[in-house]
Amino acid sequence: MTLLTVENLSVAYGDMLAVHDVSFAFDIGEVFVLLGANGAGKTSILRCISGLVPARSGDVAFAGRSLKGKRPHEVARAGIAHVPEGRRVFPNLSVEENLIVSFIRNRSKDTLAVALDAVYQFFPRLRERRRQLGGTLSGGEQQMLAIGRGLMTNPDCLIMDEPSEGLAPIVIQGLWQAIATLKREGLSILLVEQNAALALKLVDFVHVISKGRVVYSAPPGDLWANDEIKSRYLGI
């Protein structure tokens, strides 16, 4: 069953068109990735889905309902959690306070305490750091916290923008194991990632974005076998 549909989406900042007529869709339980170089338009697509920037044209539908004109908190209440590039945790709030302010009560069948415990079981390091200010965490811990905040909304779809950016290889490995666990649990995930070799191990389908347009779409095995696309658009 289709969960998210992006149809003929264009996004502009003033006179600059960042996304040109992009379309894609993915199903419940899938992990879908947008690959491409810096400035390709990937983040703009995610920001538009989440209501952070408006679409110039086209539409985004989630679970069969249009998100056009929805504000970020309305998109979150609809079931989409956005883990932004650069983590963006609240630096002057503790780990636990960061998680508490992300809880959406009317989306959860559980209490706040149960939701917190679920995140702490998923990321035990956050339990250890729960009284520590978000701004004092390491990059890897902040990424755990950013994902944990998304999980506190009890999402149907988790959007992650460059989750491995700036992290040490050992930390990335642990993070990818966590994402793989979420996939096994049936959570639908939309990724933006520059590390194609890493992303292709996990995802079900790939769109390659260049200059705001979709230039290639395929299952990960087909992309990995296509040396021309890898060299031209992904630098591998």
Side-chain angles (χ1 to χ4, degrees):
M1 179 178 175
T2 301
L3 180 66
L4 182 73
T5 303
V6 173
E7 187 173 5
N8 304 124
L9 183 69
S10 293
V11 180
Y13 301 94
D15 293 330
M16 185 189 76
L17 200 59
V19 177
H20 306 255
D21 200 31
V22 165
S23 297
F24 62 84
F26 66 93
D27 293 341
I28 293 172
E30 284 190 333
V31 180
F32 192 97
V33 68
L34 305 178
L35 297 177
N38 277 334
K42 308 182 302 297
T43 292
S44 293
I45 294 170
L46 298 195
R47 287 172 60 83
C48 187
I49 292 171
S50 296
L52 293 166
V53 297
R56 171 164 286 188
S57 61
D59 195 17
V60 177
F62 184 68
R65 296 184 177 182
S66 175
L67 297 179
K68 195 167 186 176
K70 299 290 187 184
R71 291 177 290 179
H73 72 275
E74 294 173 312
V75 174
R77 290 181 184 278
I80 296 177
H82 188 164
V83 180
E85 185 179 13
R87 277 78 80 173
R88 299 189 184 179
V89 302
F90 296 116
N92 296 321
L93 296 183
S94 69
V95 165
E96 192 152 294
E97 288 168 337
N98 266 273
L99 295 173
I100 288 171
V101 299
S102 302
F103 183 62
I104 301 179
R105 190 172 302 277
N106 66 359
R107 277 205 53 81
S108 181
K109 64 183 185 299
D110 296 320
T111 64
L112 172 61
V114 171
L116 278 171
D117 188 61
V119 171
Y120 288 149
Q121 288 188 44
F122 195 72
F123 290 121
R125 180 65 62 86
L126 295 183
R127 189 190 299 273
E128 297 171 9
R129 300 284 192 268
R130 65 186 183 276
R131 305 300 181 202
Q132 191 169 327
L133 294 181
T136 66
L137 300 176
S138 69
E141 291 166 345
Q142 286 191 8
Q143 188 64 66
M144 293 177 199
L145 180 54
I147 295 172
R149 289 193 316 179
L151 296 177
M152 287 294 290
T153 71
N154 190 31
D156 297 314
C157 179
L158 187 65
I159 295 176
M160 287 187 277
D161 194 352
E162 302 286 5
S164 69
E165 183 179 35
L167 301 182
I170 186 88
V171 177
I172 292 173
Q173 182 180 4
L175 176 64
W176 233 245
Q177 290 172 350
I179 296 172
T181 298
L182 293 174
K183 178 183 179 180
R184 287 195 299 271
E185 292 177 352
L187 184 61
S188 304
I189 301 172
L190 173 59
L191 285 171
V192 158
E193 181 58 60
Q194 284 199 56
N195 189 332
L198 183 67
L200 293 178
K201 296 177 181 178
L202 181 67
V203 304
D204 298 297
F205 205 82
V206 181
H207 265 1
V208 178
I209 309 292
S210 178
K211 297 179 181 178
R213 301 180 186 274
V214 176
V215 294
Y216 184 80
S217 302
D222 291 355
L223 173 58
W224 197 248
N226 193 319
D227 292 335
E228 179 184 355
I229 293 294
K230 288 192 298 181
S231 175
R232 183 174 181 181
Y233 295 110
L234 304 177
I236 56 176

